[in-house]
Amino acid sequence: MSGSDNIFDLEKILSSGTELKRVFRWIMSFQGSEDGVGLQSWHCKTSNRPKGSFEEVVIDSLGGKKFIGGKFSWETIDVTLYDPLTPSAAKELFGWFKQNYNPVDGTMGYESNPNATSYKKDIDLDMTGPDGSVVEGWKLEGAWPISFDLGALDYAGNDAVEIAFTLRYDRATLEQAEPG
């Protein structure tokens, strides 16, 4: 095989006009601001993309094993937010948390109820191209915060305050995969 036939030829890849997706071109949009989730896209600092896995089902047979796919589940997504003075990401995230469990009165929220606010929300996680168009769009359906960490404080530090939280969601669907 000559160097020009090598599929890992960096010069060929770079001259092909292929634009790579970049880890800094993304927007997370929290739906449901009208019912208590006022987190803004610009609050977000880091996020993972959806990740899932199948359970393995083992089929034992004479002298060996065979594996088939079992149930599929989506894994959680970790998100880091900046926490400005206003609008406070801590206040908005805790408000969303209280829709599931209110620590003041011990009430629990509804997963879905047409007459009440649901703690499950849909979230859009979009990767964008250089021109801002969506090149990969994920819809996280039935998302809710299962844990949060409001972060440490430090008199010696200069860092911006950050909040980490973990999202659980029912399913993720790829809405758009090509530049538009």
Side-chain angles (χ1 to χ4, degrees), residues 2-176:
S2 70
S4 63
D5 295 333
N6 185 348
I7 62 169
F8 298 107
D9 185 350
L10 185 58
E11 185 177 324
K12 192 176 196 179
I13 292 170
L14 295 176
S15 66
S16 69
T18 300
E19 178 70 31
L20 300 176
K21 295 176 189 173
R22 306 290 183 93
V23 297
F24 62 86
R25 291 187 191 138
W26 60 279
I27 299 169
M28 182 176 274
S29 303
F30 300 87
Q31 299 174 5
S33 58
E34 67 282 350
D35 56 13
V37 181
L39 291 172
Q40 305 297 312
S41 295
W42 56 266
H43 281 136
C44 295
K45 177 184 179 186
T46 66
S47 175
N48 297 336
R49 290 160 68 193
K51 181 178 180 182
S53 62
F54 285 98
E55 294 177 10
E56 294 180 15
V57 177
V58 180
I59 307 297
D60 289 306
S61 62
L62 183 64
K65 295 181 180 206
K66 178 181 178 179
F67 298 90
I68 60 174
K71 292 181 181 179
F72 181 83
S73 63
W74 292 101
E75 296 184 21
T76 58
I77 290 181
D78 295 321
V79 178
T80 303
L81 306 172
Y82 289 113
D83 189 18
L85 292 174
T86 181
S88 168
K91 179 181 176 187
E92 298 300 334
L93 181 61
F94 194 68
W96 187 10
F97 174 80
K98 285 180 16 180
Q99 290 177 4
N100 188 9
Y101 171 70
N102 187 334
V104 174
D105 60 16
T107 56
M108 299 291 290
Y110 289 97
E111 174 184 0
S112 62
N113 181 338
N115 299 320
T117 300
S118 168
Y119 64 86
K120 286 189 169 185
K121 310 296 180 193
D122 291 341
I123 294 175
D124 293 325
L125 178 58
D126 297 325
M127 294 190 70
T128 62
D131 62 355
S133 64
V134 174
V135 295
E136 180 180 300
W138 288 94
K139 179 168 291 295
L140 308 177
E141 299 175 24
W144 54 287
I146 61 170
S147 66
F148 63 89
D149 179 352
L150 297 179
L153 303 174
D154 182 355
Y155 281 121
N158 288 314
D159 300 329
V161 173
E162 296 178 3
I163 299 171
F165 74 101
T166 302
L167 280 173
R168 166 63 69 197
Y169 52 101
D170 295 330
R171 81 186 52 77
T173 54
L174 184 60
E175 302 279 309
Q176 183 174 353

